[in-house]
Amino acid sequence: MATEVVDPPKILWHYTTASGLLGILREGAIRATGLSYLNDITEGKYLRGLMREPIEHLTSKDDLPGIEKLFESAYRRFGAACFCPDGDLLSQWRGYSGGGGFAIGFKSQLLRQFWEGESWQGFLRPVEYSSSTSFLRAVVDAREVTEEYHRVFPGGINSLRKDKEGKRVIYESEFEDMKGDIAKLFQKIEYLAFNGALHKDEHFSEEREWRLLTFIDSKTQDDEFAPDVGVGRQGLTIYRRIAFQSSFESSPICEIRTGPGLDDESQVRAMEVLLDNLGYEGVRISASRVPLRIG
């Protein structure tokens, strides 16, 4: 998959809790969370919602539910690790640090080099918040997916035969002739879903989010992409760990910032011991300047 390459800011920040910080530093890895478990309830659905009307104009209403199910299946294969270019943003402290957390500063070019080059984990890209840009993207994507859909099913879903229960089905003998075209349709939808995951509602624009988009696939035979289950703010979440360094000495982490309300002196001492024990070098420790009273 290829998306437009944009140079990231020099440092990208990941906000997390104290326990999240410990896990990230000790493992040299960060969690990519399944898109449907992120904080935006329209995650993975925003661009798809904008595509609905253009698709209805280009195909039968009977075909729309099937196309939407294909997109839903594609989105379930993706996860994201999220970053912000601002390392001391009030909304981020409130939303992600758990009232006593930390912000981890990463050298963005080293992240991109490691993820997109050395280990190939996915793509580091900015999120688009412009409603007009997203709408234009939705119109183009709707045209692409319906063209591919009608290439596979020229008469739409109603052209398929019915089973004993009256449902439209593809029989095995038909599938053998169609499977190459069906695979291309799935591939097209997966590509469009990937790009759709980089569009969010404009109400989240303050975050100016950058994200690593990657695969989380329970059906793959490659253990590298197999998911795990953890606990999040809304219950259980699906994620997978993604290494961001080959060694502690070559880490892209350049700064760790203590959140509002924490005792700076005690946290600095603890951080120095932790970083020294793990072998991190040259990591700056700083404190938030946000005057937020916690508790």
Side-chain angles (χ1 to χ4, degrees):
M1 297 181 184
T3 57
E4 183 181 357
V5 178
V6 180
D7 287 334
K10 185 177 180 180
I11 299 176
L12 286 172
W13 297 84
H14 180 75
Y15 290 76
T16 187
T17 61
S19 60
L21 173 72
L22 282 175
I24 290 170
L25 292 179
R26 286 172 173 167
E27 296 173 9
I30 198 166
R31 288 187 178 187
T33 303
L35 293 181
S36 58
Y37 297 92
L38 298 177
N39 67 329
D40 178 2
I41 62 174
T42 65
E43 190 72 59
K45 301 176 183 177
Y46 176 65
L47 197 70
R48 188 171 13 138
L50 295 177
M51 289 172 60
R52 186 181 182 92
E53 185 175 344
I55 288 176
E56 286 182 336
H57 283 300
L58 294 167
T59 189
S60 165
K61 287 186 177 181
D62 293 334
D63 294 314
L64 183 61
I67 294 174
E68 289 187 326
K69 286 182 180 178
L70 291 174
F71 271 102
E72 180 66 29
S73 176
Y75 275 113
R76 289 176 182 170
R77 296 194 65 199
F78 295 118
C82 305
F83 303 86
C84 176
D86 190 332
D88 203 12
L89 189 61
L90 177 58
S91 60
Q92 294 289 86
W93 288 123
R94 283 175 167 166
Y96 300 100
S97 70
F102 300 81
I104 308 172
F106 293 85
K107 295 179 181 178
S108 60
Q109 290 296 348
L110 290 182
L111 277 182
R112 171 170 280 175
Q113 178 182 330
F114 188 76
W115 280 336
E116 297 184 11
E118 296 176 34
S119 64
W120 199 91
Q121 296 292 339
F123 293 97
L124 185 65
R125 296 291 187 269
V127 170
E128 174 62 61
Y129 299 98
S130 167
S131 57
S132 58
T133 299
S134 294
F135 178 74
L136 291 174
R137 179 76 266 165
V139 171
V140 172
D141 287 0
R143 186 181 301 114
E144 286 194 28
V145 72
T146 51
E147 286 178 355
E148 191 68 28
Y149 179 82
H150 285 302
R151 192 176 68 82
V152 179
F153 306 111
I157 194 170
N158 291 326
S159 66
L160 302 179
R161 288 188 289 171
K162 295 182 178 180
D163 63 11
K164 294 180 180 180
E165 297 177 352
K167 296 180 180 179
R168 301 287 181 178
V169 296
I170 302 174
Y171 288 91
E172 187 174 352
S173 57
E174 297 171 319
F175 180 76
E176 284 301 312
D177 295 330
M178 300 171 62
K179 64 182 181 181
D181 289 334
I182 291 175
K184 290 180 180 178
L185 173 62
F186 288 159
Q187 193 174 47
K188 170 64 73 174
I189 287 177
E190 192 171 77
Y191 171 77
L192 296 179
F194 182 93
N195 283 312
L198 293 172
H199 290 257
K200 292 184 66 173
D201 188 283
E202 59 188 7
H203 288 90
F204 290 89
S205 61
E206 184 187 42
E207 297 179 350
R208 294 181 293 144
E209 182 184 336
W210 281 71
R211 53 175 47 173
L212 168 73
L213 273 177
T214 187
F215 281 109
I216 300 180
D217 194 353
S218 59
K219 296 181 180 180
T220 183
Q221 296 181 355
D222 189 341
D223 290 339
E224 181 183 2
F225 296 105
D228 203 344
V229 176
V231 178
R233 290 180 298 171
Q234 305 298 325
L236 298 179
T237 63
I238 291 177
Y239 72 94
R240 77 178 180 92
R241 291 182 181 85
I242 300 179
F244 52 74
Q245 60 194 29
S246 56
S247 68
F248 293 114
E249 293 80 7
S250 63
S251 177
I253 294 177
C254 60
E255 186 171 349
I256 298 175
R257 182 162 292 156
T258 59
L262 292 177
D263 180 77
D264 297 339
E265 185 178 346
S266 65
Q267 294 305 299
V268 167
R269 288 202 307 271
M271 194 72 63
E272 287 173 344
V273 171
L274 177 63
L275 293 171
D276 186 59
N277 286 346
L278 293 174
Y280 285 93
E281 298 178 356
V283 178
R284 180 173 178 262
I285 304 172
S286 61
S288 169
R289 294 185 178 182
V290 174
L292 177 67
R293 180 178 289 124
I294 305 294

mmCIF file of all heavy atoms in Angstrom, residues 14-27 93 96-104 256-260 262 267 270-271 274 278:
data_model
loop_
_atom_site.group_PDB
_atom_site.id
_atom_site.type_symbol
_atom_site.label_atom_id
_atom_site.label_comp_id
_atom_site.label_asym_id
_atom_site.label_seq_id
_atom_site.Cartn_x
_atom_site.Cartn_y
_atom_site.Cartn_z
ATOM 1 N N HIS A 14 3.833 10.517 22.546
ATOM 2 C CA HIS A 14 2.815 9.517 22.881
ATOM 3 C C HIS A 14 2.475 9.669 24.355
ATOM 4 O O HIS A 14 3.339 9.520 25.225
ATOM 5 C CB HIS A 14 3.341 8.108 22.607
ATOM 6 C CG HIS A 14 2.356 7.025 22.930
ATOM 7 N ND1 HIS A 14 1.260 6.743 22.124
ATOM 8 C CD2 HIS A 14 2.284 6.162 23.989
ATOM 9 C CE1 HIS A 14 0.578 5.753 22.664
ATOM 10 N NE2 HIS A 14 1.165 5.391 23.783
ATOM 11 N N TYR A 15 1.220 9.985 24.650
ATOM 12 C CA TYR A 15 0.754 10.165 26.026
ATOM 13 C C TYR A 15 0.284 8.824 26.586
ATOM 14 O O TYR A 15 -0.404 8.060 25.906
ATOM 15 C CB TYR A 15 -0.405 11.159 26.066
ATOM 16 C CG TYR A 15 -0.016 12.590 25.785
ATOM 17 C CD1 TYR A 15 0.267 13.019 24.485
ATOM 18 C CD2 TYR A 15 0.071 13.525 26.809
ATOM 19 C CE1 TYR A 15 0.632 14.333 24.217
ATOM 20 C CE2 TYR A 15 0.430 14.854 26.556
ATOM 21 C CZ TYR A 15 0.708 15.241 25.252
ATOM 22 O OH TYR A 15 1.057 16.545 24.999
ATOM 23 N N THR A 16 0.639 8.575 27.845
ATOM 24 C CA THR A 16 0.301 7.286 28.433
ATOM 25 C C THR A 16 0.276 7.375 29.953
ATOM 26 O O THR A 16 0.683 8.377 30.536
ATOM 27 C CB THR A 16 1.310 6.202 27.976
ATOM 28 O OG1 THR A 16 0.868 4.918 28.419
ATOM 29 C CG2 THR A 16 2.704 6.484 28.524
ATOM 30 N N THR A 17 -0.209 6.320 30.582
ATOM 31 C CA THR A 17 -0.222 6.237 32.035
ATOM 32 C C THR A 17 1.144 5.794 32.548
ATOM 33 O O THR A 17 2.029 5.428 31.762
ATOM 34 C CB THR A 17 -1.278 5.218 32.495
ATOM 35 O OG1 THR A 17 -0.926 3.924 31.945
ATOM 36 C CG2 THR A 17 -2.673 5.597 32.004
ATOM 37 N N ALA A 18 1.302 5.784 33.874
ATOM 38 C CA ALA A 18 2.574 5.327 34.460
ATOM 39 C C ALA A 18 2.835 3.864 34.113
ATOM 40 O O ALA A 18 3.964 3.492 33.758
ATOM 41 C CB ALA A 18 2.546 5.524 35.972
ATOM 42 N N SER A 19 1.802 3.025 34.187
ATOM 43 C CA SER A 19 1.991 1.607 33.850
ATOM 44 C C SER A 19 2.280 1.444 32.363
ATOM 45 O O SER A 19 3.078 0.585 31.965
ATOM 46 C CB SER A 19 0.765 0.787 34.248
ATOM 47 O OG SER A 19 -0.395 1.242 33.576
ATOM 48 N N GLY A 20 1.639 2.278 31.536
ATOM 49 C CA GLY A 20 1.914 2.224 30.102
ATOM 50 C C GLY A 20 3.349 2.614 29.799
ATOM 51 O O GLY A 20 4.014 2.001 28.962
ATOM 52 N N LEU A 21 3.852 3.632 30.493
ATOM 53 C CA LEU A 21 5.237 4.063 30.324
ATOM 54 C C LEU A 21 6.213 2.932 30.661
ATOM 55 O O LEU A 21 7.160 2.662 29.913
ATOM 56 C CB LEU A 21 5.521 5.266 31.205
ATOM 57 C CG LEU A 21 6.979 5.736 31.251
ATOM 58 C CD1 LEU A 21 7.370 6.410 29.953
ATOM 59 C CD2 LEU A 21 7.207 6.684 32.424
ATOM 60 N N LEU A 22 5.978 2.268 31.789
ATOM 61 C CA LEU A 22 6.856 1.158 32.186
ATOM 62 C C LEU A 22 6.890 0.074 31.113
ATOM 63 O O LEU A 22 7.962 -0.433 30.756
ATOM 64 C CB LEU A 22 6.387 0.564 33.513
ATOM 65 C CG LEU A 22 6.748 1.334 34.782
ATOM 66 C CD1 LEU A 22 6.099 0.679 35.996
ATOM 67 C CD2 LEU A 22 8.258 1.396 34.964
ATOM 68 N N GLY A 23 5.724 -0.296 30.608
ATOM 69 C CA GLY A 23 5.670 -1.336 29.588
ATOM 70 C C GLY A 23 6.398 -0.937 28.314
ATOM 71 O O GLY A 23 7.148 -1.731 27.733
ATOM 72 N N ILE A 24 6.197 0.296 27.881
ATOM 73 C CA ILE A 24 6.835 0.783 26.652
ATOM 74 C C ILE A 24 8.353 0.795 26.795
ATOM 75 O O ILE A 24 9.081 0.336 25.907
ATOM 76 C CB ILE A 24 6.302 2.188 26.304
ATOM 77 C CG1 ILE A 24 4.842 2.091 25.845
ATOM 78 C CG2 ILE A 24 7.155 2.839 25.211
ATOM 79 C CD1 ILE A 24 4.151 3.427 25.720
ATOM 80 N N LEU A 25 8.843 1.307 27.917
ATOM 81 C CA LEU A 25 10.293 1.390 28.111
ATOM 82 C C LEU A 25 10.918 0.009 28.268
ATOM 83 O O LEU A 25 11.993 -0.266 27.716
ATOM 84 C CB LEU A 25 10.603 2.253 29.329
ATOM 85 C CG LEU A 25 10.291 3.750 29.208
ATOM 86 C CD1 LEU A 25 10.621 4.468 30.509
ATOM 87 C CD2 LEU A 25 11.058 4.377 28.054
ATOM 88 N N ARG A 26 10.307 -0.850 29.048
ATOM 89 C CA ARG A 26 10.886 -2.176 29.294
ATOM 90 C C ARG A 26 10.870 -3.063 28.059
ATOM 91 O O ARG A 26 11.783 -3.846 27.828
ATOM 92 C CB ARG A 26 10.147 -2.847 30.451
ATOM 93 C CG ARG A 26 10.500 -2.256 31.815
ATOM 94 C CD ARG A 26 9.611 -2.803 32.913
ATOM 95 N NE ARG A 26 10.068 -2.341 34.229
ATOM 96 C CZ ARG A 26 9.362 -2.452 35.349
ATOM 97 N NH1 ARG A 26 8.156 -3.008 35.318
ATOM 98 N NH2 ARG A 26 9.857 -2.009 36.502
ATOM 99 N N GLU A 27 9.810 -2.965 27.256
ATOM 100 C CA GLU A 27 9.681 -3.832 26.092
ATOM 101 C C GLU A 27 10.301 -3.227 24.843
ATOM 102 O O GLU A 27 10.529 -3.948 23.857
ATOM 103 C CB GLU A 27 8.198 -4.130 25.834
ATOM 104 C CG GLU A 27 7.523 -4.907 26.961
ATOM 105 C CD GLU A 27 6.027 -5.032 26.746
ATOM 106 O OE1 GLU A 27 5.546 -4.677 25.651
ATOM 107 O OE2 GLU A 27 5.340 -5.484 27.680
ATOM 108 N N TRP A 93 -3.353 15.338 28.008
ATOM 109 C CA TRP A 93 -3.143 14.924 29.396
ATOM 110 C C TRP A 93 -4.444 14.399 29.986
ATOM 111 O O TRP A 93 -4.465 13.366 30.665
ATOM 112 C CB TRP A 93 -2.632 16.102 30.234
ATOM 113 C CG TRP A 93 -1.221 16.525 29.971
ATOM 114 C CD1 TRP A 93 -0.790 17.767 29.595
ATOM 115 C CD2 TRP A 93 -0.036 15.722 30.084
ATOM 116 N NE1 TRP A 93 0.574 17.795 29.461
ATOM 117 C CE2 TRP A 93 1.071 16.547 29.757
ATOM 118 C CE3 TRP A 93 0.202 14.387 30.416
ATOM 119 C CZ2 TRP A 93 2.385 16.087 29.765
ATOM 120 C CZ3 TRP A 93 1.510 13.922 30.423
ATOM 121 C CH2 TRP A 93 2.582 14.761 30.094
ATOM 122 N N TYR A 96 -5.514 10.884 27.980
ATOM 123 C CA TYR A 96 -4.703 9.679 27.838
ATOM 124 C C TYR A 96 -3.743 9.387 28.984
ATOM 125 O O TYR A 96 -3.208 8.282 29.060
ATOM 126 C CB TYR A 96 -3.888 9.757 26.539
ATOM 127 C CG TYR A 96 -4.737 9.879 25.310
ATOM 128 C CD1 TYR A 96 -4.928 11.116 24.705
ATOM 129 C CD2 TYR A 96 -5.379 8.773 24.765
ATOM 130 C CE1 TYR A 96 -5.725 11.243 23.579
ATOM 131 C CE2 TYR A 96 -6.180 8.887 23.643
ATOM 132 C CZ TYR A 96 -6.349 10.131 23.048
ATOM 133 O OH TYR A 96 -7.148 10.252 21.947
ATOM 134 N N SER A 97 -3.515 10.356 29.877
ATOM 135 C CA SER A 97 -2.487 10.122 30.890
ATOM 136 C C SER A 97 -3.037 9.557 32.190
ATOM 137 O O SER A 97 -2.280 9.244 33.103
ATOM 138 C CB SER A 97 -1.741 11.431 31.192
ATOM 139 O OG SER A 97 -2.590 12.343 31.880
ATOM 140 N N GLY A 98 -4.360 9.458 32.305
ATOM 141 C CA GLY A 98 -4.938 8.847 33.492
ATOM 142 C C GLY A 98 -4.783 9.687 34.745
ATOM 143 O O GLY A 98 -4.799 9.151 35.853
ATOM 144 N N GLY A 99 -4.636 10.995 34.613
ATOM 145 C CA GLY A 99 -4.530 11.864 35.782
ATOM 146 C C GLY A 99 -3.223 11.744 36.533
ATOM 147 O O GLY A 99 -3.155 12.027 37.721
ATOM 148 N N GLY A 100 -2.175 11.312 35.895
ATOM 149 C CA GLY A 100 -0.869 11.200 36.535
ATOM 150 C C GLY A 100 0.099 10.485 35.630
ATOM 151 O O GLY A 100 0.860 9.623 36.068
ATOM 152 N N GLY A 101 0.035 10.840 34.363
ATOM 153 C CA GLY A 101 0.804 10.088 33.386
ATOM 154 C C GLY A 101 2.000 10.820 32.826
ATOM 155 O O GLY A 101 2.513 11.772 33.424
ATOM 156 N N PHE A 102 2.420 10.379 31.642
ATOM 157 C CA PHE A 102 3.658 10.841 31.035
ATOM 158 C C PHE A 102 3.462 11.006 29.527
ATOM 159 O O PHE A 102 2.562 10.409 28.931
ATOM 160 C CB PHE A 102 4.786 9.838 31.289
ATOM 161 C CG PHE A 102 5.080 9.619 32.750
ATOM 162 C CD1 PHE A 102 4.301 8.762 33.524
ATOM 163 C CD2 PHE A 102 6.131 10.289 33.367
ATOM 164 C CE1 PHE A 102 4.560 8.572 34.873
ATOM 165 C CE2 PHE A 102 6.398 10.106 34.719
ATOM 166 C CZ PHE A 102 5.611 9.243 35.471
ATOM 167 N N ALA A 103 4.330 11.816 28.944
ATOM 168 C CA ALA A 103 4.394 11.944 27.492
ATOM 169 C C ALA A 103 5.794 11.534 27.052
ATOM 170 O O ALA A 103 6.789 12.020 27.592
ATOM 171 C CB ALA A 103 4.090 13.375 27.053
ATOM 172 N N ILE A 104 5.852 10.622 26.090
ATOM 173 C CA ILE A 104 7.127 10.104 25.603
ATOM 174 C C ILE A 104 7.424 10.750 24.256
ATOM 175 O O ILE A 104 6.623 10.662 23.323
ATOM 176 C CB ILE A 104 7.091 8.575 25.440
ATOM 177 C CG1 ILE A 104 6.606 7.911 26.732
ATOM 178 C CG2 ILE A 104 8.464 8.043 25.039
ATOM 179 C CD1 ILE A 104 6.367 6.421 26.579
ATOM 180 N N ILE A 256 11.241 12.365 28.004
ATOM 181 C CA ILE A 256 10.060 11.899 28.727
ATOM 182 C C ILE A 256 9.590 13.037 29.616
ATOM 183 O O ILE A 256 10.382 13.619 30.362
ATOM 184 C CB ILE A 256 10.357 10.645 29.567
ATOM 185 C CG1 ILE A 256 10.774 9.488 28.652
ATOM 186 C CG2 ILE A 256 9.128 10.250 30.395
ATOM 187 C CD1 ILE A 256 11.198 8.237 29.379
ATOM 188 N N ARG A 257 8.299 13.357 29.509
ATOM 189 C CA ARG A 257 7.750 14.497 30.252
ATOM 190 C C ARG A 257 6.757 14.000 31.304
ATOM 191 O O ARG A 257 5.858 13.203 30.998
ATOM 192 C CB ARG A 257 7.067 15.451 29.285
ATOM 193 C CG ARG A 257 6.484 16.709 29.928
ATOM 194 C CD ARG A 257 6.247 17.754 28.860
ATOM 195 N NE ARG A 257 7.513 18.233 28.322
ATOM 196 C CZ ARG A 257 7.645 18.784 27.114
ATOM 197 N NH1 ARG A 257 6.602 18.923 26.319
ATOM 198 N NH2 ARG A 257 8.838 19.199 26.704
ATOM 199 N N THR A 258 6.931 14.439 32.541
ATOM 200 C CA THR A 258 5.989 14.098 33.602
ATOM 201 C C THR A 258 4.759 14.976 33.479
ATOM 202 O O THR A 258 4.836 16.161 33.153
ATOM 203 C CB THR A 258 6.623 14.299 34.988
ATOM 204 O OG1 THR A 258 7.023 15.670 35.125
ATOM 205 C CG2 THR A 258 7.844 13.410 35.154
ATOM 206 N N GLY A 259 3.599 14.376 33.748
ATOM 207 C CA GLY A 259 2.341 15.073 33.568
ATOM 208 C C GLY A 259 1.989 16.010 34.703
ATOM 209 O O GLY A 259 2.643 16.031 35.751
ATOM 210 N N PRO A 260 0.942 16.824 34.529
ATOM 211 C CA PRO A 260 0.492 17.767 35.558
ATOM 212 C C PRO A 260 0.133 17.047 36.857
ATOM 213 O O PRO A 260 -0.437 15.952 36.833
ATOM 214 C CB PRO A 260 -0.751 18.409 34.937
ATOM 215 C CG PRO A 260 -0.619 18.177 33.472
ATOM 216 C CD PRO A 260 0.109 16.895 33.322
ATOM 217 N N LEU A 262 2.099 15.716 39.117
ATOM 218 C CA LEU A 262 3.090 14.790 39.652
ATOM 219 C C LEU A 262 4.204 15.573 40.364
ATOM 220 O O LEU A 262 4.527 16.700 39.993
ATOM 221 C CB LEU A 262 3.693 13.939 38.538
ATOM 222 C CG LEU A 262 2.759 12.933 37.861
ATOM 223 C CD1 LEU A 262 3.485 12.223 36.731
ATOM 224 C CD2 LEU A 262 2.229 11.914 38.861
ATOM 225 N N GLN A 267 9.676 12.005 40.642
ATOM 226 C CA GLN A 267 9.524 11.321 39.366
ATOM 227 C C GLN A 267 10.816 11.324 38.564
ATOM 228 O O GLN A 267 11.135 10.352 37.889
ATOM 229 C CB GLN A 267 8.398 11.975 38.562
ATOM 230 C CG GLN A 267 7.022 11.823 39.180
ATOM 231 C CD GLN A 267 6.659 10.377 39.444
ATOM 232 O OE1 GLN A 267 6.579 9.563 38.525
ATOM 233 N NE2 GLN A 267 6.449 10.050 40.716
ATOM 234 N N ALA A 270 13.059 8.581 40.007
ATOM 235 C CA ALA A 270 12.599 7.252 39.587
ATOM 236 C C ALA A 270 12.896 7.012 38.110
ATOM 237 O O ALA A 270 13.328 5.910 37.717
ATOM 238 C CB ALA A 270 11.101 7.117 39.853
ATOM 239 N N MET A 271 12.715 8.044 37.293
ATOM 240 C CA MET A 271 12.958 7.910 35.863
ATOM 241 C C MET A 271 14.438 7.678 35.572
ATOM 242 O O MET A 271 14.800 6.861 34.716
ATOM 243 C CB MET A 271 12.478 9.169 35.139
ATOM 244 C CG MET A 271 12.370 9.016 33.640
ATOM 245 S SD MET A 271 10.978 7.993 33.175
ATOM 246 C CE MET A 271 9.653 9.011 33.820
ATOM 247 N N LEU A 274 15.232 4.082 36.329
ATOM 248 C CA LEU A 274 14.639 3.203 35.318
ATOM 249 C C LEU A 274 15.418 3.239 34.011
ATOM 250 O O LEU A 274 15.768 2.186 33.452
ATOM 251 C CB LEU A 274 13.182 3.610 35.082
ATOM 252 C CG LEU A 274 12.420 2.843 33.999
ATOM 253 C CD1 LEU A 274 12.302 1.372 34.360
ATOM 254 C CD2 LEU A 274 11.040 3.451 33.786
ATOM 255 N N LEU A 278 17.692 0.101 32.356
ATOM 256 C CA LEU A 278 17.334 -0.481 31.065
ATOM 257 C C LEU A 278 18.388 -0.228 29.991
ATOM 258 O O LEU A 278 18.402 -0.906 28.966
ATOM 259 C CB LEU A 278 15.985 0.067 30.598
ATOM 260 C CG LEU A 278 14.770 -0.355 31.440
ATOM 261 C CD1 LEU A 278 13.511 0.377 30.965
ATOM 262 C CD2 LEU A 278 14.563 -1.863 31.356
#
